Amino acid sequence: MAVETKVKAKPALTEDFIGFGDISSSEDEEAVDVPATGKRGRTDNDSDNEADAAPGSYQKCYNGQPVPPWLAGQRRLGTGKSPDINTMINEEVTKFVSYISPTPEEHQMRSWVIERMQRILGAWTLPGTRAVAKCFGSFETRLYLPTSDIDMTIMLYNEHNDEVSPAYAGRESIRQFLYRLARQLKQNGFCHNCEVIANARVPIIKTTERISGIAVDISINADSGMKSAQVQKSFSEKVYPNALRAIVLAIKQFLFQRSMNEVYTGGMGSYAITLLVVSLLQMHPRIRSGGLDASKNLGVLLIEFFELYGKRFNYDTVCVSVRENGCYLNKRNKTFFSPTQPYLLAIEDPCDTSNDVTKGTYGISRIKQTFSGAYDLFNNAIFAYHQTRKYGQPINDALNVGAPNSEPAKKRARGKSGKAQAPSTKAVSNDPWAPVSFLSSILHIDAKTVSMRQRLITTFHKGTMQEALGVEYQPQLVNALKSNGTVPSDSVVNAVSNALEDHKKGNGATAQEQINRMKFDFAGSGNTLTIPVETTGNEGNPVFISDDEDDDDVLDVYGEDDDDEDGQYYEDYSDDDDLHIVY
């Protein structure tokens, strides 16, 4: 039996990859003359003395690029005129995750798709067999994108116990059942078309639920997916509750928009992405030593992910393992090495150490190249903003990511010598509060995704799925007791209750406004619900509910005071014990 050997891997981290101290502003730094522009650069002292600007509605970023949807209607992130760039990136990652995370309407629609499948199975006569629809993958772990499909497996048990029916234990019997199931789904109006992929390593049905338009992948007796889902859920909710989910969602969106997220086409699946991020966090020396708070360095860690797996990782030798506290193993000792494809990524499955999670990711060379490019693009965006802040515009033409010059090259103005002059660069905004987006250098949300989300939420509020199933959406307020046993004040209970009621009714909000509503994740209870940002509270005043404004791990509730723009503090609830909301 081969002995697992820990190797000193090329990707071992010894320090932060991005030294933000090198590009952050210094209060004592003098103004400088910029030879490339002939301009006197602004100093931080010049801008810090200015008063904060009021929030505005911006259509363009500071460099002329469109404002990404996760920053829509907002001014530049960070505090003061010269904010810390690390803080800006961290806030932007948080904003992106809040935007891309599913609303309760979207999540409930997916739950109803699973329920609709179960009802079809329950009405289907299968002699001696009990069919149960179970969901795994990103839906179970809440690590899914709005565009993600639902990974579902149909467990075919014996009628009187939870053992898999021997009638459906063989590969051929599973393939035949898939064809029968496809006909059943079409006959019951679950979908219009089904594609049976019978010759795949794991035979599946690919289809789209008719009412919601959500794509569904259906396998048979594939309980291994549920085990991996529990591993992901444990890491995201217990081990790295404030960092893992954000980084994983950003990387999933990055791969999705480049069509590199499907394993059957050589891409990288959600499970592999999660394990790679876990390994990064486990092996990071400053996180291991307690010197780095991952939740406050999400942007830095995202950049380090792209550098590690795009530029530094030794794919030929190293196997990733997240067991215990994480380590790097030798691929050859794990028998994961392929002589014909030594470049393949190897990740040990913590549920089955003999399984290589990424053995089907044959497009890893392209993914690696894309990760490397993302690292460069991200850094270029950071340095472009840094130079603009110091000198008024990027002094390096390669970093100029502003709006392109609309003047064709053949029509460029000519000087006295007759030579064509270089195209003029569109000036950046002089507004110090114009939005700045670093993530948009590598991420974007297309119109199709926005339209799909709007349509799904509109369908929810029309009640089409509810009518088909004969159900209602009824979020409830439960366990509203303080940890010391006292009942919270009536004003706060009323505020949250009204928020729930407004949410259930839609409150007349448009689909886009529904998407933009605030999100809360009660990690202690495992329940998640979106509550409207603004609703009616005590004495008819607006109530604002905010997720941990003062970093004390509580849910904060505010009521607006006529004489106070920022609102007046009401009361707070413990994240674990005080306020649990289920739906």
Side-chain angles (χ1 to χ4, degrees):
M1 178 177 178
V3 178
E4 295 180 0
T5 305
K6 297 183 180 180
V7 298
K8 184 177 181 181
K10 187 182 295 184
L13 308 178
T14 58
E15 59 182 358
D16 284 344
F17 290 132
I18 307 301
F20 283 101
D22 297 335
I23 62 174
S24 61
S25 301
S26 169
E27 294 183 0
D28 299 325
E29 189 172 354
E30 298 294 331
V32 294
D33 292 325
V34 187
T37 63
K39 298 180 180 180
R40 182 180 182 275
R42 295 193 303 269
T43 68
D44 290 342
N45 283 335
D46 293 336
S47 56
D48 283 342
N49 292 329
E50 300 175 21
D52 285 357
S57 179
Y58 293 90
Q59 301 299 319
K60 298 287 185 180
C61 290
Y62 83 101
N63 56 0
Q65 296 294 311
V67 175
W70 55 89
L71 297 180
Q74 301 183 43
R75 67 183 187 183
R76 191 214 66 216
L77 301 177
T79 58
K81 295 295 183 178
S82 299
D84 177 62
I85 292 181
N86 179 26
T87 301
M88 292 175 66
I89 301 175
N90 195 72
E91 288 185 18
E92 186 178 4
V93 172
T94 303
K95 295 284 187 183
F96 171 79
V97 172
S98 178
Y99 174 83
I100 205 69
S101 295
T103 65
E105 293 94 338
E106 291 174 295
H107 190 76
Q108 185 61 56
M109 288 292 283
R110 289 171 179 263
S111 298
W112 281 333
V113 168
I114 300 169
E115 182 175 346
R116 193 174 182 210
M117 171 67 74
Q118 185 57 57
R119 292 190 182 190
I120 292 173
L121 295 174
W124 190 10
T125 302
L126 297 169
T129 302
R130 178 169 52 90
V132 179
K134 292 190 175 183
C135 197
F136 60 95
S138 57
F139 176 83
E140 177 66 19
T141 60
R142 300 293 182 96
L143 292 172
Y144 65 89
L145 300 173
T147 53
S148 297
D149 53 19
I150 297 177
D151 294 315
M152 188 185 305
T153 187
I154 308 300
M155 298 301 299
L156 300 174
Y157 297 121
N158 287 324
E159 188 172 9
H160 301 296
N161 57 48
D162 289 339
E163 295 182 2
V164 175
S165 172
Y168 300 99
R171 184 178 179 85
E172 184 59 32
S173 60
I174 288 177
R175 291 173 59 183
Q176 292 301 320
F177 181 81
L178 284 174
Y179 285 109
R180 292 170 57 199
L181 177 60
R183 289 193 295 269
Q184 194 74 12
L185 294 178
K186 287 187 285 187
Q187 290 173 5
N188 283 272
F190 182 87
C191 58
H192 293 297
N193 297 292
C194 287
E195 178 186 4
V196 179
I197 306 178
N199 295 322
R201 184 173 62 89
V202 178
I204 63 171
I205 292 176
K206 296 186 75 68
T207 188
T208 301
E209 198 275 329
R210 181 178 56 83
I211 298 175
S212 65
I214 297 173
V216 184
D217 287 355
I218 307 168
S219 59
I220 307 299
N221 294 337
D223 58 350
S224 60
M226 290 182 284
K227 296 177 183 178
S228 63
Q230 289 304 312
V231 170
Q232 291 176 271
K233 198 169 184 178
S234 176
F235 276 120
S236 64
E237 294 183 359
K238 298 178 180 179
V239 184
Y240 302 108
N242 300 316
L244 181 63
R245 184 172 182 271
I247 301 173
V248 168
L249 286 177
I251 296 166
K252 287 188 69 171
Q253 177 65 23
F254 174 83
L255 291 176
F256 163 75
Q257 66 194 37
R258 291 162 176 79
S259 300
M260 297 180 179
N261 62 317
E262 296 287 357
V263 177
Y264 71 91
T265 59
M268 185 176 294
S270 177
Y271 190 33
I273 293 171
T274 302
L275 295 180
L276 285 182
V277 177
V278 168
S279 178
L280 170 71
L281 299 176
Q282 287 177 330
M283 303 300 290
H284 198 295
R286 292 191 61 192
I287 293 178
R288 278 187 142 177
S289 65
L292 183 72
D293 185 345
S295 65
K296 296 180 180 179
N297 292 274
L298 298 175
V300 174
L301 291 170
L302 180 60
I303 296 173
E304 290 183 350
F305 176 92
F306 288 129
E307 182 179 18
L308 174 59
Y309 297 112
K311 294 179 178 291
R312 296 181 179 271
F313 194 79
N314 187 346
Y315 288 82
D316 291 353
T317 304
V318 178
C319 168
V320 171
S321 174
V322 300
R323 284 184 294 134
E324 298 177 358
N325 293 321
C327 63
Y328 294 127
L329 305 174
N330 192 304
K331 282 174 68 172
R332 287 175 171 81
N333 290 346
K334 285 295 298 182
T335 68
F336 290 168
F337 181 79
S338 171
T340 58
Q341 296 176 303
Y343 55 84
L344 291 181
L345 173 64
I347 303 178
E348 179 191 69
D349 188 345
C351 299
D352 178 5
T353 57
S354 65
N355 178 44
D356 180 2
V357 174
T358 49
K359 59 178 175 290
T361 306
Y362 56 81
I364 189 61
S365 294
R366 192 160 144 260
I367 293 174
K368 175 186 175 183
Q369 183 179 12
T370 308
F371 284 165
S372 176
Y375 172 79
D376 294 334
L377 289 171
F378 214 137
N379 274 284
N380 285 348
I382 293 171
F383 282 107
Y385 174 67
H386 171 65
Q387 291 182 358
T388 300
R389 191 168 72 179
K390 300 297 292 183
Y391 310 133
Q393 68 181 53
I395 61 175
N396 185 340
D397 290 340
L399 300 181
N400 194 341
V401 293
N405 182 29
S406 59
E407 184 181 15
K410 64 181 180 181
K411 293 184 179 180
R412 291 177 188 168
R414 295 180 177 275
K416 293 181 180 180
S417 64
K419 294 182 179 181
Q421 296 178 343
S424 60
T425 301
K426 186 170 182 177
V428 297
S429 172
N430 292 324
D431 182 356
W433 291 103
V436 179
S437 175
F438 303 111
L439 274 182
S440 59
S441 64
I442 60 170
L443 299 177
H444 74 273
I445 306 295
D446 58 21
K448 183 179 179 181
T449 299
V450 174
S451 176
M452 183 194 72
R453 298 188 76 179
Q454 291 176 341
R455 184 181 60 81
L456 187 64
I457 294 176
T458 300
T459 302
F460 173 91
H461 287 289
K462 284 182 178 178
T464 310
M465 183 70 86
Q466 295 93 311
E467 183 178 349
L469 293 174
V471 298
E472 292 184 2
Y473 178 64
Q474 294 182 326
Q476 305 172 55
L477 179 65
V478 299
N479 193 22
L481 287 177
K482 300 290 286 184
S483 55
N484 60 8
T486 62
V487 179
S489 65
D490 292 339
S491 61
V492 176
V493 172
N494 291 338
V496 178
S497 298
N498 288 336
L500 292 170
E501 187 64 24
D502 283 351
H503 184 275
K504 184 170 67 173
K505 293 178 179 178
N507 200 25
T510 64
Q512 186 61 50
E513 288 170 342
Q514 293 281 343
I515 289 176
N516 291 335
R517 286 183 166 182
M518 191 173 293
K519 295 166 178 72
F520 298 95
D521 184 6
F522 299 93
S525 64
N527 300 320
T528 305
L529 180 66
T530 299
I531 298 178
V533 174
E534 182 175 327
T535 184
T536 302
N538 191 33
E539 299 179 356
N541 291 325
V543 171
F544 300 87
I545 304 176
S546 173
D547 186 10
D548 197 16
E549 285 286 337
D550 43 7
D551 295 325
D552 58 358
D553 297 324
V554 297
L555 175 68
D556 302 316
V557 183
Y558 292 82
E560 184 175 355
D561 189 322
D562 293 338
D563 300 324
D564 184 1
E565 284 184 348
D566 296 330
Q568 181 168 345
Y569 178 69
Y570 262 17
E571 190 167 342
D572 56 33
Y573 284 139
S574 162
D575 192 31
D576 291 338
D577 301 321
D578 299 337
L579 181 63
H580 293 177
I581 299 176
V582 298
Y583 58 89

